[in-house]
Amino acid sequence: KQEVTQIPAALSVPEGENLVLNCSFTDSAIYNLQWFRQDPGKGLTSLLLIQSSQREQTSGRLNASLDKSSGRSTLYIAASQPGDSATYLCAVKTGANNLFFGTGTRLTVIP
Amino acid sequence: NAGVTQTPKFQVLKTGQSMTLQCAQDMNHNSMYWYRQDPGMGLRLIYYSASEGTTDKGEVPNGYNVSRLNKREFSLRLESAAPSQTSVYFCASGTYTEAFFGQGTRLTVV
């Protein structure tokens, strides 16, 4: 069974810092990897999706990388802002019908 | 631009009561999913439906039933609620590539 781990579980940084969130998975036979953002009491918003054949994806201040062979992905957030405070989840897709989720990293950006 | 809509947003049930969580999507996706989210455990798949008329069990199906009424709607039923089913429930729909989530239903069973 695919296991997805996210480290750290929580992170506090001052505004303006660059930061990296980590995601690791045990089975490298993935179809894609998706990073989500979840605000308290809200649903999940998709941030970036990386296909298994890709190495990275970028959207604005966000950059996600994927090293499938080592079972790792990172989400890089540049010049963090208080509005970036949320829980960030990574999920891997291993077939047609399931996403395996990590437990998330709760990010707090301090003004 | 509704996307995935879940109702209700909040619900409190007594042990043994039944209820149905509703989900509808307007993106013409074939696949729909029900997940539950518990502290420290991430989201876990309860049931999924690859297309209208088909449903399959996910990782944690016990205590739940589902109905894929048509392409748009996928409901989750708790026949006899238990305190262990206290959770936040998310419906999602998607293509083979990407999933889109609703806002969630926070269910408390007392």
Side-chain angles (χ1 to χ4, degrees):
Chain A
K1 180 193 163 194
Q2 179 75 262
E3 301 283 347
V4 181
T5 303
Q6 290 187 248
I7 295 173
L11 180 65
S12 290
V13 299
E15 182 177 2
E17 270 204 7
N18 303 324
L19 60 102
V20 174
L21 307 180
N22 296 293
C23 173
S24 61
F25 47 95
T26 54
D27 185 349
S28 62
I30 66 169
Y31 185 77
N32 62 40
L33 184 145
Q34 202 166 350
W35 281 93
F36 294 89
R37 169 185 173 137
Q38 184 176 27
D39 293 285
K42 303 292 186 182
L44 281 68
T45 301
S46 180
L47 296 173
L48 289 165
L49 182 145
I50 311 176
Q51 301 291 354
S52 62
S53 58
Q54 297 176 317
R55 297 286 294 187
E56 65 179 309
Q57 282 285 346
T58 298
S59 176
R61 294 182 294 109
L62 305 180
N63 176 276
S65 68
L66 174 64
D67 184 344
K68 197 174 72 162
S69 61
S70 67
R72 296 175 188 272
S73 176
T74 62
L75 179 67
Y76 175 82
I77 302 177
S80 58
Q81 302 171 358
D84 295 329
S85 297
T87 296
Y88 291 81
L89 300 167
C90 76
V92 296
K93 191 171 178 67
T94 57
N97 295 314
N98 199 5
L99 283 170
F100 289 91
F101 281 85
T103 52
T105 295
R106 189 172 67 252
L107 174 66
T108 303
V109 180
I110 304 164
Chain B
N1 192 11
V4 180
T5 302
Q6 293 182 234
T7 55
K9 288 186 170 52
F10 302 94
Q11 183 71 48
V12 178
L13 288 179
K14 292 182 179 178
T15 297
Q17 286 186 317
S18 62
M19 80 160 295
T20 300
L21 281 63
Q22 306 286 353
C23 175
Q25 53 98 3
D26 62 2
M27 295 175 281
N28 202 38
H29 291 152
N30 285 319
S31 298
M32 296 187 73
Y33 313 84
W34 277 104
Y35 287 87
R36 60 178 288 173
Q37 184 178 35
D38 301 294
M41 300 193 72
L43 279 82
R44 293 178 293 167
L45 183 66
I46 305 171
Y47 271 92
Y48 63 89
S49 171
S51 62
E52 182 180 350
T54 68
T55 61
D56 285 286
K57 296 178 180 179
E59 187 181 352
V60 288
N62 291 344
Y64 305 96
N65 286 301
V66 291
S67 296
R68 183 74 182 269
L69 305 170
N70 47 56
K71 193 171 186 179
R72 289 188 66 248
E73 298 172 291
F74 188 38
S75 61
L76 179 72
R77 183 161 178 83
L78 287 70
E79 291 291 351
S80 179
S84 61
Q85 294 178 305
T86 294
S87 188
V88 181
Y89 292 84
F90 287 100
C91 176
S93 72
T95 64
Y96 191 82
T97 306
E98 193 170 5
F100 300 85
F101 284 77
Q103 293 297 296
T105 296
R106 186 173 296 273
L107 175 67
T108 302
V109 183
V110 298

